[in-house]
Amino acid sequence: MWLRRALLALAAVFAIGFGPAVQAAHWPLPHSLCHAVSVMAQSPRAAPRSSYSCNGKPTGYQRGTLWLRVDLDTIPIPRNDLVLSIHNTRFDALSVGFVYADGVTAWQGVRGGDFGTHWRPGAQIAFAAPAREAPLRTIVLQFDRLTSYDLLRMRLATQGDGALEVVALAACVGAALMLLFIAALYNISLSFAVRRQFPAWQAAWAGCMVIWGAVWSQLNLFVLPGMAGSFSAQLCTGLSCLAVMLATFGAITALDRREIPVALRIATLALGIGIGALGVPLSFIRTGPLEFWASVLGMLVLADLTAITVSLTIAWRRGNALARDFAAAWAVPMITLGVTQFLPTDRLFWGGGSQMLVLLAATWQTIWVSVSATRRLGRLRVERDHALRAEAIAHDLARRDPLTGLRNRRGFTEAVEPMVARAIAGESPFALLLIDVDRFKAVNDTHGHDAGDQVLCIIAQQLERWEGALCLPARFGGEEFAMALSGLHTFAATQFAERLREDIAAADYDAVIGGGDITVSIGIASATEDADFQSLYRQADRSLYEAKRRGRDCVVASGPRPDDDLAVDMVA
């Protein structure tokens, strides 16, 4: 909950705090500037032959040269220390002339593939007016093969404010790209961990947005300066369409097929694929009605987001908790795209405008989905761990004696098999002890079955003290116990059994039976090369029977000695 509140607060700061707070520092130029159109200029920065028109919009400029004139006398702006920022890079070449009152014109220029030091974050190009004593009167711009005049945005600012805006916008873009990059890595690792499709699609969407953001913001020009200009702008168009398609697949694949209508699912995926496919031809458009196709693309994107919202709503109402988190994540991109379609956003975020809003919305969406999916999958992991733990406990209980807590016959047999296998292979000697309480029926008859159970528990405690990797005690049922010893030959096993017999006899039973004696008889069998557990059990049982025959409260062992293979009987 605290993370959601923090993200909401961050979004509010970005959307409200930074936007209007910096607008007083610059002056957007009027969109209806004085303009002239000429054939492609043979010599750069040559004045147009036709006169400027200050009414209407220019036409026929996409295959020629567009001239724009900004008369600063009509703009309330200080004349010294100015910087002109241009927010459109789809052109072949651009020259900017600063015309001073003494007739001097200072020209600066860029061309496709070479912006030099004029590029700025947020798809901007900046031209600083040289400082001169004569006042600046006019700015002249010469565009060669500009793609769209309607998409052209320009503004003036003081050089100090412009530098601060560049730093702020670069920091904002860098932070968003870093968060997207981390989210992409996290989601791809999450997809492998949980073997689900939607984290992989989410990772692809975040990765695509990282590339788009780097190209749009022109940060890629640090390492690839030759991408400056139309190539980067056209690449951004294709990447943005691809990102919408990937986001669509990410949202839809997170929902179960049974939770949304088949027709709605197909229609939503078809919209996503259509947008991705439309991005290919739009990436190559240099002339023609680019604004029309941009509007068509915008409507398709809104339709796609609406279809996703309907799908998430239906899945949510049908009990999919993950759909609720996705709906919350998609709310921000939906609102953002709606705002950029119907409200002017060019002046927000220091000239980053709608693209910066989209980048922040993508960051929000990716982080929200990542956190929500992690929390949801974490709960499933906890539930699975609890189920596995309960299963392990049930498995262990099925192999434990409920009265004494020692292994029962089944659990003992399973645990002893590896020991017997090592003994047969000659890796380690093995001995099986069968322990039977002497005259236990008399204890039950005299003191009651409750007292008999307590006696069995006291004996179990004496056996449990030795439990470890090389010693496994168990209760076979009734008054019969067993113990497996690994690493001891017959003689050593007999000495151990004798110590065990004495400890059981010396235990305190006064509180249970009032001072009576409790003794046990023990039979021992040692493993041979052709032995198995059943044969060892029968052999130990015969030894136990012999101990009973000899008067009880004794140990009888049968098996090979360390120095020979002869079967012997040892009576303690």
Side-chain angles (χ1 to χ4, degrees), residues 265-396:
R265 180 185 181 89
I266 294 175
T268 306
L269 293 176
L271 276 172
I273 295 172
I275 293 171
L278 185 60
V280 176
L282 289 180
S283 298
F284 294 96
I285 290 180
R286 285 296 306 273
T287 60
L290 185 62
E291 298 84 1
F292 169 76
W293 288 111
S295 299
V296 171
L297 181 61
M299 293 297 105
L300 287 176
V301 170
L302 287 178
D304 179 69
L305 291 176
T306 302
I308 292 174
T309 302
V310 173
S311 300
L312 293 174
T313 302
I314 293 175
W316 184 359
R317 291 176 61 87
R318 292 183 177 180
N320 189 327
L322 187 60
R324 177 188 60 190
D325 296 326
F326 267 83
W330 277 98
V332 174
M334 281 284 292
I335 295 173
T336 300
L337 287 173
V339 168
T340 59
Q341 290 292 321
F342 303 106
L343 296 176
T345 58
D346 296 342
R347 297 178 60 189
L348 294 177
F349 296 103
W350 314 285
S354 59
Q355 290 89 347
M356 192 64 228
L357 280 175
V358 170
L359 186 61
L360 291 176
T363 305
W364 164 278
Q365 190 260 6
T366 302
I367 294 177
W368 188 296
V369 170
S370 300
V371 172
S372 300
T374 301
R375 187 182 69 253
R376 192 71 55 190
L377 294 173
R379 290 178 181 174
L380 293 177
R381 180 66 178 270
V382 170
E383 292 175 1
R384 188 196 69 175
D385 291 344
H386 287 167
L388 292 175
R389 190 178 298 111
E391 181 182 0
I393 293 174
H395 182 274
D396 187 65

Side-chain angles (χ1 to χ4, degrees), residues 54 57 79 86 116 133 228 285 331 399 401 423 439 473 527 554 566:
C54 297
K57 296 181 180 180
R79 303 298 180 86
I86 299 173
E133 292 184 0
I285 290 180
R399 287 155 178 78
D401 174 57
R439 298 181 177 86
C554 64
L566 299 177

